[in-house]
Amino acid sequence: RRSSPETSPGRSPPGKRRHSFRAMHARARGAAVELGTTRIEARIVDVVVVRPAPRARGAPWQVLTLRRAPGTRCTGAWELVHGRIEAGEHPADAAVREVREETGLAVERLYSIAVNPFWLVPTDTVQLALVLAAVVDGAPAPALSEEHDTAVWRTPAAAVKVLAWPREHEAV
């Protein structure tokens, strides 16, 4: 019996779209994939910066929260470290770079937490924010970039209370 295109192994039924290996590979590299008219891009990293808490604090970890500086988007909002993955950059490298640029802290270890999708209406793209936890040494104080005017180490419960974005609550 000969296979028709509709019944061949590996073929999708008529009217169903299969995602090509090229599209899946492009997503893995952080490139944009177009499905219909809306693009999907993995170009954002969100980083939960944590350090071991002093023993007297109760919670084993503290989370770094940053307040947006005047004159920046969302002035006064509390957030985590985040930023764009540059062309050709690995997401882990982007996370380490963003932590260094925004706080001056050196990352000791990284852990993958989640992938959070969100839709940007003006560009009609679905962004995939790759969420990582970055463990840093507890000793140095953050050296803030011009994006933020205040940094506060908080327990995870206290961090969730001040963070502006729901996806950051989930990450913590």
Side-chain angles (χ1 to χ4, degrees), residues 30-136:
V33 175
E34 257 186 66
L35 303 174
T37 59
T38 302
R39 288 189 334 267
I40 299 172
E41 300 177 347
R43 299 219 172 127
I44 305 290
V45 289
D46 287 342
V47 188
V48 182
V49 179
V50 297
R51 71 176 184 184
R55 292 182 195 257
R57 297 277 181 168
W61 296 97
Q62 290 182 320
V63 176
L64 183 63
T65 57
L66 305 170
R67 189 176 66 189
R68 298 290 299 180
T72 63
R73 71 167 174 75
C74 302
T75 297
W78 288 94
E79 63 183 12
L80 302 172
V81 170
H82 67 269
R84 295 200 180 278
I85 300 170
E86 295 176 356
E89 188 175 36
H90 189 275
D93 295 332
V96 169
R97 176 183 51 75
E98 287 293 341
V99 170
R100 184 182 60 249
E101 288 176 1
E102 293 187 22
T103 70
L105 299 173
V107 173
E108 294 178 353
R109 293 184 311 276
L110 279 175
Y111 297 94
S112 174
I113 297 176
V115 176
N116 287 330
F118 60 97
W119 182 36
L120 289 179
V121 176
T123 60
D124 192 25
T125 60
V126 173
Q127 295 289 323
L128 301 178
L130 308 176
V131 186
L132 299 106
V135 178
V136 299

Side-chain angles (χ1 to χ4, degrees), residues 140-159:
L144 299 177
S145 70
E146 65 281 351
E147 293 179 58
H148 303 100
D149 63 3
T150 305
V152 177
W153 289 101
R154 303 175 194 270
T155 64

